[in-house]
Amino acid sequence: MSFELNRRLAARREPLPTSATVDPVTASIIRGAMETVCFEAATHLGRAASSPIINSSNERNASIIDAHGRLAAVAIGTPHLTFVSQLTVRYGLEMFKDFDWGPGDVFLGNDPDYGGGHLPDYNVYAPVFDDSGELILIQALQAHQGDTGGKDPGGFTLEATDIFTEGLAIPCVKLLHRGEKRLDVIRMIERNNRFATFRGDLAAMISAVQLAVRRLQDVIRKWGADTVKATINAEIEQSEKRLREEVSRWKDGTYEADVWIDHDTQGTKDIKVHAACTIRGDQLTVDLTGTDDRPNLVGVWNTYGNTRSYIMVQVAAAIDPGIVKNEGLFNAVDMIVPEGCIAHPPPNKPAALGSFHPACEITEAVCIALSQVVPERATPQVYKIGMPNAVIGFDAKGQMWMDQGVDARSMDSSAVQGIDGWGSSCVGLGNLLLSEAEDLESRFPIINLSREMTTDTGGAGQWRGQPGSRNVKKVLAPTMAMAWMVSSRHPLRGLCGGEDAGGYENHFEVGTPNERRIELSALAQLPAEAVIAYQHGGGGGFGPALLRDPEAVKDDVLDEKVSLQAARDKYGVVLTGSLDDYDLAVDVAATAALREQMGSAKAA
């Protein structure tokens, strides 16, 4: 059922029927209005939600889907959520008659086997009808929820072998009928969540889409339904045309890449993701044939809807950023994802951790493949973290709390041609805001001891990856901690001759006889005053390190991003003076001689 359903949901959709035509200026104004509505809906949710993962971290995204299920407009948000909402809505549209769609209705879906990403990503959506009663648009709002009602808090169960272990799977359910809340349904969904904040989050999502529906009705009344439909058709057609124009300028051929996950949650090593990007004229085909399809893997299953999104995020990064993000991008790219592989799992496979891995490896493999043809726009849209340290406890009233580990950190910020890795987070997180120490400590019995970049964790290259950070925190009360560690043996890859980033590392009960490195996964009870330290991986380098400007290497050493030893061993730069005295200088002659020697050794 799932494979056939996925094929049906992903199939190309026809344009909306309309007799109107629209000029480019009017179309851009109407599109801008829809994008503003998306932004307003997402902002409303961020301000009204109860839990920090939404109201502080902004892990939410809004999109508008047309009556045929095509992505029409999006808000700036978490990139990987941008392209995943429409399949859940398409399944709801298939239930149009059975579910009696009408004005004032609001729906919810999160089922990975029915178009969704993973269970924590709730998609709340509502139809927009014109005054004649014709369905024109659907406003969708997707946000990550702190819990899903499964075996473990947060929905991330390390040993889960099916979706039911992870929580409540909802293909499509109506939350409001003609504007009236279905309290039996809402209470049932609230009951299947451990956290008191969820009630406020769900209410905020409902009110946000209701607000957006009113705004979109205003747009339709101002411009007319036919003109709005003509705008959507024109914008989708234009995006497809522009993407094809870009691809037509790329060199024909097939470009391949392999990326590896250290292990699944039970220790099976070296999980493979293979991507082949083929260019023939204006047609780009992304083929994941060769990706791991062992049936007994645990925790590394990425839903088909997520796979489509993670492929498209990297394709969108490889083209002109001015190309509007909508269904036209999907129309221009053929995706081949073999049924049964970890990127297109059989029904009922667990999916929570798959949104980390192999999802990020899919994006990374596409990036490495395309770096061979468009190196100037090659930077991986990924977060290679396996699973943050989730810390769980109970307050004095017995209410569960959970620090999901989304701390502010430096990680996975790779270099791109001409620019060193920069910023504190990878581009794949978009506008996601990570937890501030003060906010975290005000909510939970936790003290953040340090957050600092780690020397030599950025991949060496002509342009250097940003170092990762080591985040150290202390729990002030007995707690349970969960983690799944990957990207240690297979860290973020360097591009076009750049070196790989430093890997991830994690230690529990630091500074005690019980200190231990988490090699695979952990579900541990920590005593009060226990210290945990998470080393985040750096960004990959771009281009051969021996081509880096020696003065830039000197500056990196002074900034403690690169050690004196690495300056010599990785970059072939000989420095005189003292780091302590801050009087380093490049020995130009010695550097030239060393680089010639290292280059000859590599060539041999």
Side-chain angles (χ1 to χ4, degrees):
M1 169 63 177
S2 178
F3 293 146
E4 188 278 329
L5 176 63
N6 286 337
R7 289 194 295 270
R8 190 169 72 243
L9 293 181
R12 181 165 179 152
R13 304 297 174 100
E14 293 298 315
L16 297 174
T18 177
S19 58
T21 58
V22 63
D23 63 88
V25 174
T26 301
S28 66
I29 291 171
I30 294 173
R31 172 176 55 82
M34 292 193 295
E35 290 174 345
T36 300
V37 170
C38 285
F39 177 80
E40 188 171 355
T43 302
H44 176 102
L45 173 60
R47 292 178 176 176
S50 300
S51 64
I53 199 167
I54 300 177
N55 65 25
S56 296
S57 294
N58 286 337
E59 192 165 347
R60 75 288 187 277
N61 204 75
S63 58
I64 295 172
I65 319 298
D66 74 12
H68 284 179
R70 300 181 305 165
L71 183 65
V74 300
I76 298 171
T78 309
H80 304 95
L81 296 181
T82 300
F83 298 118
V84 76
S85 294
Q86 67 265 45
L87 294 196
T88 300
V89 174
R90 287 182 183 184
Y91 177 74
L93 282 169
E94 289 195 354
M95 302 293 107
F96 186 93
K97 291 183 179 179
D98 293 341
F99 277 38
D100 183 25
W101 282 45
D105 292 349
V106 177
F107 299 91
L108 167 65
N110 76 334
D111 195 323
D113 289 333
Y114 289 80
H118 62 174
L119 289 183
D121 287 340
Y122 275 37
N123 190 345
V124 173
Y125 55 96
V128 183
F129 294 86
D130 68 7
D131 290 336
S132 73
E134 180 186 1
L135 176 66
I136 308 296
L137 304 169
I138 299 99
Q139 175 68 56
L141 187 60
Q142 190 155 315
H144 186 99
Q145 300 298 332
D147 189 52
T148 55
K151 173 182 175 292
D152 293 306
F156 297 100
T157 296
L158 299 171
E159 73 278 12
T161 56
D162 61 39
I163 193 69
F164 309 107
T165 309
E166 295 182 331
L168 183 64
I170 305 168
C172 179
V173 67
K174 185 183 287 190
L175 301 176
L176 274 73
H177 179 75
R178 306 302 191 266
E180 296 295 325
K181 291 182 178 180
R182 298 184 63 195
L183 292 178
D184 55 341
V185 174
I186 292 174
R187 295 291 180 264
M188 181 271 293
I189 293 170
E190 291 174 346
R191 181 70 180 93
N192 281 274
N193 195 289
R194 290 173 171 85
F195 301 123
T197 53
F198 173 71
R199 178 174 294 185
D201 293 341
L202 185 60
M205 294 187 76
I206 292 170
S207 64
V209 297
Q210 288 177 317
L211 171 64
V213 166
R214 294 195 297 271
R215 297 285 191 265
L216 290 174
Q217 287 171 334
D218 290 341
V219 172
I220 293 170
R221 291 188 181 109
K222 178 174 182 178
W223 295 99
D226 274 345
T227 301
V228 171
K229 290 191 287 184
T231 293
I232 293 169
N233 291 344
E235 291 289 326
I236 290 174
E237 181 181 349
Q238 176 70 0
S239 290
E240 178 179 359
K241 177 184 177 183
R242 291 196 61 195
L243 194 156
R244 289 188 181 278
E245 288 173 348
E246 294 245 337
V247 171
S248 69
R249 292 191 287 268
W250 299 351
K251 184 179 179 181
D252 280 4
T254 297
Y255 306 90
E256 302 185 57
D258 291 323
V259 179
W260 304 84
I261 308 167
D262 291 9
H263 43 243
D264 71 0
T265 60
Q266 301 304 298
T268 302
K269 292 183 178 180
D270 297 332
I271 316 300
K272 178 182 176 181
V273 172
H274 178 79
C277 295
T278 298
I279 299 156
R280 294 286 182 268
D282 69 353
Q283 181 62 57
L284 170 62
T285 300
V286 179
D287 187 351
L288 300 188
T289 300
T291 294
D292 210 315
D293 60 0
R294 286 175 282 181
N296 295 323
L297 298 173
V298 180
V300 287
W301 300 95
N302 187 52
T303 68
Y304 181 66
N306 255 350
T307 292
R308 292 175 78 249
S309 176
Y310 278 68
I311 290 173
M312 188 53 67
V313 162
Q314 194 63 54
V315 171
I319 60 177
D320 183 347
I323 297 176
V324 176
K325 279 61 175 181
N326 59 35
E327 193 70 26
L329 303 188
F330 287 95
N331 291 343
V333 179
D334 285 342
M335 299 183 189
I336 300 172
V337 187
E339 296 170 354
C341 77
I342 57 175
H344 191 173
N348 299 326
K349 285 291 186 181
L353 291 167
S355 285
F356 296 97
H357 306 280
C360 286
E361 281 70 26
I362 292 168
T363 303
E364 187 180 6
V366 173
C367 179
I368 295 171
L370 290 180
S371 72
Q372 302 168 62
V373 65
V374 277
E376 70 277 7
R377 293 204 57 81
T379 186
Q381 311 290 303
V382 302
Y383 41 93
K384 289 281 281 187
I385 188 171
M387 176 184 172
N389 281 334
V391 181
I392 304 154
F394 294 88
D395 62 21
K397 297 180 180 179
Q399 178 65 50
M400 178 179 286
W401 56 267
M402 182 176 184
D403 165 20
Q404 301 218 14
V406 288
D407 307 320
R409 67 236 182 184
S410 175
M411 68 174 211
D412 302 330
S413 298
S414 289
V416 67
Q417 183 173 297
I419 304 174
D420 292 338
W422 66 279
S424 62
S425 288
C426 59
V427 291
L429 294 182
N431 71 343
L432 189 70
L433 301 177
L434 300 175
S435 297
E436 298 175 350
E438 294 82 1
D439 178 71
L440 188 76
E441 292 171 359
S442 70
R443 296 174 184 269
F444 309 127
I446 290 171
I447 294 293
N448 291 272
L449 300 180
S450 65
R451 296 176 181 177
E452 55 188 2
M453 289 188 184
T454 308
T455 304
D456 290 338
T457 54
Q462 184 176 4
W463 293 281
R464 170 195 40 75
Q466 181 81 311
S469 64
R470 185 173 185 264
N471 288 20
V472 183
K473 64 173 63 173
K474 178 190 290 187
V475 298
L476 303 181
T479 60
M480 179 177 73
M482 298 171 60
W484 172 41
M485 296 304 302
V486 298
S487 304
S488 177
R489 289 187 301 110
H490 298 298
L492 188 59
R493 295 273 293 278
L495 295 175
C496 300
E499 296 194 13
D500 295 350
Y504 281 77
E505 193 171 315
N506 194 8
H507 289 255
F508 282 6
E509 297 190 64
V510 176
T512 73
N514 292 327
E515 179 173 345
R516 57 204 181 274
R517 177 175 176 175
I518 308 304
E519 301 282 356
L520 171 60
S521 62
L523 182 60
Q525 295 293 327
L526 299 179
E529 305 298 311
V531 173
I532 56 179
Y534 204 112
Q535 173 64 57
H536 298 275
F542 191 103
L546 294 182
L547 296 181
R548 185 165 178 78
D549 181 353
E551 289 293 327
V553 176
K554 182 196 75 173
D555 290 343
D556 287 340
V557 174
L558 290 172
D559 291 337
E560 299 182 23
K561 293 182 177 180
V562 173
S563 67
L564 280 166
Q565 190 68 43
R568 185 181 186 93
D569 294 347
K570 297 285 189 181
Y571 293 97
V573 173
V574 180
L575 298 171
T576 61
S578 167
L579 180 59
D580 291 336
D581 294 334
Y582 216 69
D583 63 352
L584 294 178
V586 176
D587 186 326
V588 176
T591 294
L594 178 58
R595 284 186 162 185
E596 182 178 1
Q597 176 186 345
M598 293 172 67
S600 297
K602 285 188 177 182

